[in-house]
Amino acid sequence: RFSSLKLNFVRAINMDILWILFAFACGFGVKQIGLPPLIGYLAAGFMLNMYGVSMTPGLQEMANLGVTLMLFTIGLTLNIKDLLKPEIWVGTFANAGIWTILFTGLALFLSTLSAPYFTELDFKSAALLAFALSFSSTVCVIKMLEENGEMNTRHGRFSIGILVMQDVIAVIFLVLAEGTIPSAWAFLLPALLLARPLFGKILTLSGHGELLVLSGFMFALGAYELFYLIDIKGDLGALLFGALLSQHEKASELYKSLLSFKDIFLVGFFLSIGLVALPNTSMMITAVLLIPLLFIKLGMFYLAFAKLRLRARTASLSSLLLTNYSEFGLIVMVVGVEAGLIGKEWLVILALSISISFAITCVYYHQAHNIYTRFKDVLHRLERDKPLQEDVFVQPTGAEILVIGTGRIGLGAYLALHRELGDSVWGMDADHDRIALQREEGLHVFVGDGESADLWDNLDVSRIELILIATPATEDVRNITEQLKFAGYSGKIAAISKFEDDHEALLSYGIDKVFNFFSEAGVGFAEDSLGLIDRKRRVDPLFKKTAAAD
C-alpha cells in the first residue's frame, strides 16, 4: 500500500514537471517572435485545459507560493509614506467607486437586453462583478515594471502604490464577505514593530548566499502562516512583512535574490488561470466584449491622475500599466459564487478576460514611451498648471558631463569623474530615496527619469558634452537614446552592457561607446593592482595583454 501511494505521488510530481516544461516551451516560443513569455504561459494553461488537464495540488501550491513571494518582494521595495499621499489613496478609491457605479449600470442595462450571462444578474451580482473588474493586476504590472527596469521610477512606484491600496481594499472585502472576524490575537500585530531589530539582525547574519534566500522564504511564508492563524489573509501578511524589512540595508539584495525564484513559481500562477475551466463559444464572446471597456478604465485613470496634479507622462504611463483586469477579481468572484450571488460561469469568463488583458498589456506597454511621445501634446492639455512638488525638475547648473543612473556602477563612474573634473559632473537617477541620500552626502545629483520626454523638454542639454547611461537594461538605453535625439542632444553617449550579445544592439541605437561592465571591472582591477608595484600600464580587455601607457 505504501509503495502504491509513493508511486502515485511520484507520478503526480512528474506530471506537474511536464506541464511546467510545456509552459516553458510556450514561453520560449512566443519570446522568439518578440512577445513576453508571460503570454506563452497563459496560452499553455488554456491549451492544457483543452486537452483535459485540470489543476493539480502541486501546481496550485506553486501558484500560491509565487503570489506570496511576489507580495513579499513588493513590500521590500515599498515606502509606507508613499501610501499616505493623497494621489495614491484618492486615486485608488475614486477610480474603484466610479468604475463600480458605471459598470453596475451597464451590466443591468445589458440584462434588460437579454445579453448572454447578463440576464440573470440583479443589482447585487452586477455590483459584485463591477467590483471584481475594478482591480488591476499586481502580477502583470510588476512583471512589466521588472522587465523594463522601471520599479523605482516615478510612474513605477506610483503604480505599485495604487496596486497595494487595491489589494488592501480586496482583503477588507474578503474579510467582510466571508464573515471571518480576525482573532483577538490580531491586536498584538503592532508588536511586530518591536521585533524589527531582531528581523534585521537575522538578515545581516544571513550573509550573501543561500541563507539570505532562505531567510526571505522564511519571512514570506512565516508571515503568511502567522496572519492565516489569526484569520487574516496570509498574502497581506507577506506584503506587510516585506514592508517591515524595506528599510534594512540588505532589503535590495534580498529582493534581487528572490526575484528569479518568484518568477519561476509565478509560472504556476499563469498556468492556473488557464486551468480554471474551459470556456464555450458564448463565454468567449462575452469575455472578448469586456475588453473594449478597458478604454473606459484607461480614460478614468488618466483623468483622475491628471486632476491629482501628476505630470502627463507619469499619469499616462501609470494608466497604461493599470489598464487590465486582475487575478484578485477571480478571488472576489469565488466568494460571490460560494455565496450564491453569481453563477460560476462568470469565473470562466473573468479568467479569460484577465488572460486577454494580460496579453494586451504585455504587448502595448513595450511601446508605452513611444505612445506617450506621439500623444504628449494632447495629454499635456489636461495637465494641471501646478505639478506636485516631487515632480518639479531640477536644472543641473554648470553640467558638462551627466551620469544617468547612480546605482553601484553609475555612482562609481560619477565619483571617478568628479575627482578629475569637479562640479561639472552631475548624476541623475529616478529613485527619489537614493538621490535624497546622495544629496545628503554632498553629491551633485538630482531626480530624473532618463526615459521621460518631459524631463528632456525642460532640461537644457546645450552645454552637456558627454552622457553616461549606467543602466544595464538595453530597452532602457534605447528609450533614453531616443528621447535624447528628440531633445536635440548632439554630444557623445556611452553606455554599459551586461551581456556580450547586447553590444551590437546598443551601438545600433546610436551609442558612441559600449562597455561590458564585467570585463571593464577586470581592467580597472588590473590597472589599480599594477600600481602596487609602481608600473603604470594599461590593460587591453580585447587582446588580453598589457600595453605601455602613453
Side-chain angles (χ1 to χ4, degrees):
R1 184 177 177 182
F2 175 76
S3 297
S4 177
L5 289 172
K6 182 178 178 182
L7 182 60
N8 289 335
F9 175 76
V10 171
R11 282 175 178 168
I13 295 295
N14 287 341
M15 294 307 291
D16 287 345
I17 293 174
L18 185 61
W19 308 147
I20 294 168
L21 289 175
F22 181 68
F24 164 79
C26 293
F28 182 82
V30 300
K31 183 175 176 60
Q32 304 315 303
I33 58 174
L35 297 176
L38 181 150
I39 296 176
Y41 306 150
L42 291 168
F46 282 105
M47 283 190 281
L48 288 172
N49 201 334
M50 288 175 61
Y51 285 96
V53 177
S54 57
M55 177 61 70
T56 66
L59 282 177
Q60 187 63 61
E61 288 302 318
M62 184 178 177
N64 292 340
L65 183 55
V67 173
T68 300
L69 285 177
M70 182 197 67
L71 289 171
F72 179 71
T73 54
I74 290 174
L76 289 173
T77 65
L78 197 63
N79 188 337
I80 298 298
K81 291 186 293 184
D82 289 344
L83 298 181
L84 302 178
K85 295 176 181 177
E87 60 267 28
I88 296 290
W89 56 268
V90 172
T92 303
F93 283 96
N95 276 285
I98 295 172
W99 170 270
T100 302
I101 293 170
L102 288 177
F103 188 86
T104 301
L106 176 63
L108 292 175
F109 173 71
L110 290 173
S111 70
T112 62
L113 299 178
S114 300
Y117 303 108
F118 285 92
T119 308
E120 299 176 359
L121 296 180
D122 57 15
F123 178 78
K124 284 186 178 181
S125 55
L128 178 70
L129 179 60
F131 182 66
L133 291 172
S134 69
F135 297 103
S136 302
S137 171
T138 303
V139 177
C140 184
V141 172
I142 296 300
K143 286 288 289 180
M144 289 297 97
L145 289 173
E146 288 175 350
E147 287 182 7
N148 289 278
E150 297 176 352
M151 286 291 290
N152 288 317
T153 59
R154 172 70 167 120
H155 64 275
R157 296 180 65 165
F158 177 75
S159 299
I160 290 172
I162 295 288
L163 290 168
V164 171
M165 287 299 294
Q166 287 185 347
D167 291 348
V168 171
I169 293 173
V171 169
I172 293 173
F173 168 81
L174 293 174
V175 169
L176 296 175
E178 293 173 354
T180 56
I181 301 174
S183 166
W185 292 101
F187 291 105
L188 295 179
L189 286 178
L192 290 173
L193 293 172
L194 301 176
R196 183 189 286 181
L198 174 61
F199 299 151
K201 190 69 174 177
I202 292 172
L203 274 185
T204 301
L205 295 177
S206 295
H208 305 282
E210 70 278 1
L211 273 179
L212 181 64
V213 177
L214 287 174
S215 70
F217 274 83
M218 179 196 72
F219 284 121
L221 299 180
Y224 184 99
E225 292 299 328
L226 174 63
F227 275 60
Y228 178 78
L229 287 173
I230 58 176
D231 298 321
I232 300 178
K233 191 168 177 58
D235 290 333
L236 180 62
L239 176 69
L240 293 180
F241 254 71
L244 199 66
L245 298 170
S246 63
Q247 301 304 309
H248 192 273
E249 59 184 9
K250 297 190 74 171
S252 177
E253 184 182 352
L254 179 60
Y255 170 83
K256 293 174 183 176
S257 299
L258 292 174
L259 208 57
S260 296
F261 289 97
K262 179 259 296 179
D263 288 342
I264 291 171
F265 288 119
L266 279 177
V267 172
F269 169 80
F270 295 120
L271 276 174
S272 70
I273 289 181
L275 292 173
V276 168
L278 191 63
N280 57 35
T281 304
S282 182
M283 290 178 184
M284 292 179 67
I285 293 172
T286 304
V288 170
L289 289 176
L290 292 176
I291 299 303
L293 297 177
L294 289 173
F295 287 104
I296 299 175
K297 202 173 192 180
L298 174 64
M300 285 175 51
F301 273 128
Y302 184 81
L303 290 174
F305 297 159
K307 287 290 184 182
L308 291 167
R309 295 167 49 203
L310 270 74
R311 284 192 178 272
R313 179 177 181 274
T314 303
S316 59
L317 292 181
S318 300
S319 300
L320 287 169
L321 270 172
L322 296 167
T323 302
N324 42 59
Y325 297 129
S326 171
E327 60 281 354
F328 257 117
L330 278 179
I331 300 172
V332 169
M333 291 299 286
V334 167
V335 174
V337 170
E338 291 176 349
L341 294 175
I342 198 166
K344 62 180 181 180
E345 297 83 7
W346 278 105
L347 277 178
V348 185
I349 295 169
L350 196 58
L352 191 59
S353 294
I354 290 169
S355 302
I356 298 171
S357 72
F358 281 8
I360 292 172
T361 301
C362 291
V363 171
Y364 73 63
Y365 190 72
H366 285 285
Q367 297 297 319
H369 297 279
N370 293 332
I371 293 171
Y372 168 71
T373 301
R374 188 179 306 166
F375 296 103
K376 69 176 183 177
D377 292 336
V378 176
L379 296 172
H380 274 272
R381 294 173 190 168
L382 298 171
E383 192 177 61
R384 301 291 290 271
D385 294 333
K386 186 179 179 181
L388 297 170
Q389 184 58 42
E390 62 182 296
D391 289 330
V392 176
F393 297 118
V394 174
Q395 195 71 233
T397 55
E400 296 176 4
I401 297 178
L402 178 64
V403 180
I404 299 177
T406 57
R408 286 180 295 179
I409 298 169
L411 181 60
Y414 167 86
L415 293 173
L417 290 167
H418 192 270
R419 281 194 296 268
E420 297 293 328
L421 303 173
D423 291 344
S424 63
V425 181
W426 280 72
M428 181 181 81
D429 199 283
D431 190 330
H432 287 254
D433 294 336
R434 175 181 292 166
I435 291 296
L437 290 172
Q438 291 171 351
R439 288 180 68 87
E440 288 177 6
E441 295 172 1
L443 305 186
H444 280 63
V445 293
F446 65 101
V447 175
D449 184 350
E451 298 179 76
S452 169
D454 291 344
L455 171 75
W456 300 115
D457 285 345
N458 290 275
L459 207 64
D460 181 13
V461 296
S462 59
R463 292 190 56 188
I464 299 177
E465 300 176 6
L466 174 64
I467 292 179
L468 288 76
I469 306 176
T471 58
T474 56
E475 190 68 20
D476 293 350
V477 177
R478 184 180 68 82
N479 289 332
I480 293 170
T481 306
E482 285 184 359
Q483 296 303 336
L484 287 171
K485 288 177 182 176
F486 292 140
Y489 175 71
S490 57
K492 299 295 184 181
I493 305 174
I496 59 173
S497 67
K498 194 172 182 181
F499 306 105
E500 285 293 339
D501 54 1
D502 290 336
H503 190 274
E504 293 301 322
L506 291 172
L507 289 175
S508 70
Y509 299 154
I511 305 296
D512 297 292
K513 181 67 176 177
V514 178
F515 297 86
N516 182 294
F517 63 74
F518 289 121
S519 63
E520 294 297 330
V523 174
F525 178 49
E527 289 180 342
D528 287 347
S529 300
L530 282 173
L532 296 173
I533 55 175
D534 296 324
R535 292 185 186 178
K536 293 187 177 181
R537 291 175 177 270
R538 181 174 63 246
V539 180
D540 189 332
L542 296 179
F543 298 100
K544 311 297 183 185
K545 64 183 181 182
T546 59
D550 293 333

